[in-house]
């Protein structure tokens, strides 16, 4: 039975956003008997609604509200209004995500200690470590059904993987496999096995890939403790004279505004909207925005050092067939400064359909150099680079006074400059990625620039001391005890791994903490 | 590409006989443009037919695929044939022709070598007109489902049960 709570019920936990962080947190709290209202800006789409078509799916699911960009990243030039590729829907970006689910490495929780001083980088150690996170990672892997963890077997390799694997082995790489994926290799948790349809980014029509949209959210609703209000866009978080948050103002699908009271508010809008909401909630008491005594809200925006390598062969590959990202080389993920940079990177298989390939292979490119590449689309293989980027204070989300969203609120500006460490790592990764394909006879390779950000991190970072960050080790804001952040904006540093498993593990852990603190009467 | 302004009502044979067959599109009389092989035809309402023909050539020169017929480029740019878009497009085409004349050609369409046309485009690459046409083509051309098979791309696969039994790991040359 789906719950329905009153607007003036101030005993509920309000969760803003229902993606990887919010969807999981909502279910975990509901399972513990806690009453939750989850407000989601997007609509509800389920496997039968997903579309096996790149642009149609993008139009259906993407967050397309006004945003602006600045900085030296190429996205600011090629996709100036689309800094990030994020979903606006119940389930958030877990509809689009590819499912790569990796734990962080030990040293990545201690970036400052391990990398020491990196000029221009605002490095900090996480206030938690891998040992503390291990049990939560295990719960997250079980929830998501991650392959190659527990007793779950790996996915079979598709054509794109076979090319990648052969190249990797020829180059001497050892740690090469079809990934740890939140995609069923066999039936699991009432969801079927992957049918190799090859549209993982467009929403899995079989439900083989984990998405909060059809797992955690309906399960939370089934407890009778969770109400998900879709097409409910939160505009502002309200507080009282004591500085505690008291509720949130949101616009419904018709633009009518409502105030939902709350005992606790959890901000989980992904790393652009979450800091924006805190900044847009500025008041006389908190003129710089909520939870911003450190001045770090919106800063240290990270997007992972990314890039892609595509390669053309003299024979067909048909990389679009099968799982989009089930393939990984982990040998370069270690920290080894002898390569000329700190931190490491993963290489993961990636396939785009023809429409997205045309848009992303070399944005702005034209003429024969460009089109002869696409002429060989059928003979193409591809990989994605994902590595640790350096947090920088000046890479940040700010409110753009000249650009307003559909509610008249200042839109976010996303400023990003590559750090020299990012640039050095990318150059190394391009070289290695191209070598992988050259080793199996590529006739041409393409070091493809980063896409609009799919991983958005760090803008409300976790810190031991209140002066260094926005939230404590539980994701609770240093300044306001009943205000939490539950998405990737908590990340103190980015690590080399795709972030979602860590977001989910932190959300499960945070639910435990919130329940405990509520029980103790502390919040 | 050869463009001729023709009287209306000609038969295909007459058209062919009057056209120097080095290209693929030509303009037929008032507001009508057709493929030389008569495989397709489109009417223009707001743009001059010559301008539409130039636009189609420009589209091909921006994204030249020798195995993709003009028809698909025509579909990709036909959206500019509106009263709203026409003034800017006509101005852009006029600038393109002026640039061609500056290089000693009668018009953009009369510039024989792709290399020379590409040079003309390269010089105006940063213009709003060029960027509008190029940007529009990214989806206008490559998102046509009828174009996909020409590149081998198979599109939607769910209705066929994915590739689990249809070659997801089918590679024999490694
Ligand atoms: C194409 C693609 C592939 C990816 N592949 C992987 C992968 O393989 N592995 C991996 O680890 N990660 C992957 N990611 C990243 C992953 O999707 C994100 O890390 C994850 O979804 C982030 O979770 P989140 O809860 O922070 O935000 P989201 O999942 O983005 O959810 C945020 C939700 O909040 C809502 N919201 C925002 N603001 C408001 C507001 N003001 N009011 C109400 N609702 C609001 C949004 O509509 C959205 O539904 C991928 C992402 C993309 C785009
Ligand atoms: S390839 Fe597998 S996981 Fe991806 S969309 Fe298809 S069935 Fe789902």
């Amino acid at each position: 039975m789906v719950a329905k709570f009153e607007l003036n019920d101030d005993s509920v936990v309000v969760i803003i956003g229902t993606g990887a962080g919010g969807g999981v947190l909502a279910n975990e709290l509901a399972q513990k008997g806690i009453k939750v209202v989850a407000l989601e800006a997007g609509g509800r789409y389920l496997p039968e609604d997903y579309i096996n078509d790149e642009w149609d799916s993008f139009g259906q699911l993407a967050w397309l509200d006004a945003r602006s960009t600045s900085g030296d990243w190429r996205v600011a030039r090629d996709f100036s209004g689309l800094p990030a590729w994020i979903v606006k829907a119940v389930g958030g970006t877990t509809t689009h995500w590819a499912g790569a689910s990796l734990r962080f490495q030990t040293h990545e929780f201690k970036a400052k200690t391990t990398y020491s001083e990196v000029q221009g980088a605002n490095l900090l150690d996480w206030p938690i470590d891998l040992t503390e996170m291990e049990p939560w990672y295990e719960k997250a892997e079980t929830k998501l059904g991650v392959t190659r963890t527990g007793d779950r077997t790996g996915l079979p390799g598709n054509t794109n993987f076979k090319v990648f694997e052969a190249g990797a082995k020829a180059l001497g790489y050892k740690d090469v496999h079809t990934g740890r994926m939140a995609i069923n290799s066999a039936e699991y948790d009432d969801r079927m096995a992957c049918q190799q349809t090859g549209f993982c980014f467009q929403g899995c029509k079989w439900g083989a890939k984990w998405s909060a949209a059809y797992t955690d959210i309906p399960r939370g609703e089934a407890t009778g403790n969770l109400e998900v209000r879709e097409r409910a866009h939160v505009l502002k978080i309200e507080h009282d004279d004591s500085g505690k948050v008291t509720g949130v103002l949101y616009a419904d699908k018709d633009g009518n505004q409502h105030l939902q009271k709350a005992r606790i508010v959890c901000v989980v809008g992904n790393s652009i909207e979450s800091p924006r909401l805190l900044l847009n909630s500025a008041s006389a008491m908190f003129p710089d925005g909520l939870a911003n005594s450190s001045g770090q809200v919106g800063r240290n925006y990270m997007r992972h050092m990314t890039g892609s390598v595509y390669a053309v062969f003299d024979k067909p590959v048909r990389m679009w067939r099968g799982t989009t990202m089930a393939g990984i080389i982990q040998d370069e993920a270690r920290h080894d400064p002898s390569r000329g940079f700190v931190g490491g990177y993963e290489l993961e298989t990636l396939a785009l359909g023809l429409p997205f390939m045309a848009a992303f292979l070399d944005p702005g490119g034209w003429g024969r150099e460009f089109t002869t590449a696409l002429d060989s689309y059928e003979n193409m293989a591809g990989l994605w680079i994902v590595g640790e980027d350096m947090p920088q204070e000046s890479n940040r989300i700010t409110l753009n006074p000249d650009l307003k969203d559909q509610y008249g609120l200042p839109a976010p500006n996303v400023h990003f400059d590559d750090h020299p460490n990012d640039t050095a790592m990318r150059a190394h990764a391009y070289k290695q990625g191209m070598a992988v394909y050259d080793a199996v006879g590529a006739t041409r390779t393409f070091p493809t620039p980063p896409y609009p950000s799919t991983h958005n991190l760090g803008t409300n970072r976790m810190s031991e001391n209140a002066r260094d960050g926005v939230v404590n080790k539980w994701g609770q804001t240093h300044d306001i005890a009943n205000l939490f952040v539950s998405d990737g904006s908590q990340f103190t540093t980015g690590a080399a791994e795709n972030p979602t498993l860590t977001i989910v593990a932190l959300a499960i852990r945070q639910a435990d903490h919130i329940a405990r603190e509520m029980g103790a009467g502390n919040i | 590409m050869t463009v001729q302004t023709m009287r209306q009502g000609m038969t295909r044979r007459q058209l062919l006989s009057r056209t120097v067959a080095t290209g693929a599109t030509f303009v037929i009389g008032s507001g009508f443009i057709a493929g030389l092989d008569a495989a397709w035809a489109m009417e223009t309402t707001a743009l001059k037919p010559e301008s539409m023909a130039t636009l189609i050539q420009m589209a091909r020169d921006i994204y030249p695929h020798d195995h993709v017929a003009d028809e698909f480029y025509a579909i990709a740019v036909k959206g500019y044939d509106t009263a709203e878009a026409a003034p800017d497009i006509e101005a852009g085409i006029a600038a393109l022709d002026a640039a061609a004349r500056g290089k000693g050609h009668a018009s953009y369409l009369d510039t024989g070598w792709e290399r020379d046309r590409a040079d003309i485009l390269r010089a105006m690459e940063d213009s709003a007109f060029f960027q509008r046409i190029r940007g529009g083509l990214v989806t206008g051309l490559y998102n046509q489902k009828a174009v996909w098979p020409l590149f081998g791309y198979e599109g939607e696969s769910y209705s066929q049960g994915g590739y689990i039994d249809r070659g997801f790991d089918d590679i024999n040359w490694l």
Side-chain angles (χ1 to χ4, degrees), chain A residues 52-53 55 157-159 162 194-197 199 205 315-316 320-321 358 365-368 370-371 374-375, chain B residues 62-67 114 122 125 130 142 145 151-152 154-155 157-158 162-164 166-169 173:
Chain A
N52 267 201
D53 179 299
W55 285 118
N158 69 345
T159 56
K162 287 186 165 176
C194 173
Q195 302 299 301
Q196 305 285 342
T197 48
F199 284 89
K205 290 188 73 68
K315 299 202 184 63
W320 64 86
R321 292 184 178 182
W366 60 278
R368 291 263 166 199
F370 181 81
T371 55
L374 290 184
D375 284 338
Chain B
I62 294 175
Y63 291 122
H65 293 286
D66 298 340
H67 65 297
E114 179 185 314
R122 192 68 67 188
E125 186 175 26
F130 178 90
Y142 297 109
K145 287 191 172 60
F151 291 86
E154 296 168 291
S157 84
Y158 170 73
Y163 292 102
I164 190 146
R166 296 191 308 129
F168 78 98
D169 60 353
W173 54 263

Side-chain angles (χ1 to χ4, degrees), chain A residues 336-367:
Chain A
D336 171 8
S338 75
R339 292 174 297 181
F341 51 86
V342 300
Y345 61 89
E346 316 271 356
L347 299 170
E348 300 172 352
T349 54
L350 173 65
L352 297 181
L354 182 75
F356 273 13
M357 190 58 75
F360 296 119
L361 176 67
D362 179 15
W366 60 278

Side-chain angles (χ1 to χ4, degrees), chain A residues 183 194-200 203-206 208-209 322-324:
Chain A
I183 293 179
C194 173
Q195 302 299 301
Q196 305 285 342
T197 48
F199 284 89
C200 307
C204 180
K205 290 188 73 68
W206 306 96
K209 177 186 82 175
T323 326
T324 303

Side-chain angles (χ1 to χ4, degrees), chain A residues 16-22 39-42 63 85-94 96-101 181 201 232-235 268-271 273-274 277 325 348 453-456 486-488 498-501 503:
Chain A
I16 304 165
T18 58
L39 301 172
E40 168 54 56
W63 181 284
W85 179 6
I86 301 179
V87 171
K88 183 196 271 194
V90 173
T93 316
T94 65
H96 260 10
W97 82 313
S101 302
M181 304 296 296
F201 282 176
H233 192 125
V234 177
L235 311 172
V268 213
N270 206 324
S271 296
E273 290 311 307
S274 289
L277 186 56
M325 199 174 256
E348 300 172 352
S453 315
T454 55
H455 301 173
N456 297 275
S486 325
D487 58 21
N498 315 53
T500 307
L501 184 75
I503 293 174

Side-chain angles (χ1 to χ4, degrees), chain A residues 6 28 84 141 349 353 382 411 461 464 470:
Chain A
E6 298 293 321
E28 293 286 320
E141 287 162 349
T349 54
R461 73 177 183 180
E464 187 72 53
V470 180

Side-chain angles (χ1 to χ4, degrees), chain A residues 54-65:
Chain A
E54 290 177 314
W55 285 118
D56 285 354
S57 171
F58 185 82
Q60 180 188 47
L61 298 170
W63 181 284
L64 297 172
D65 293 9

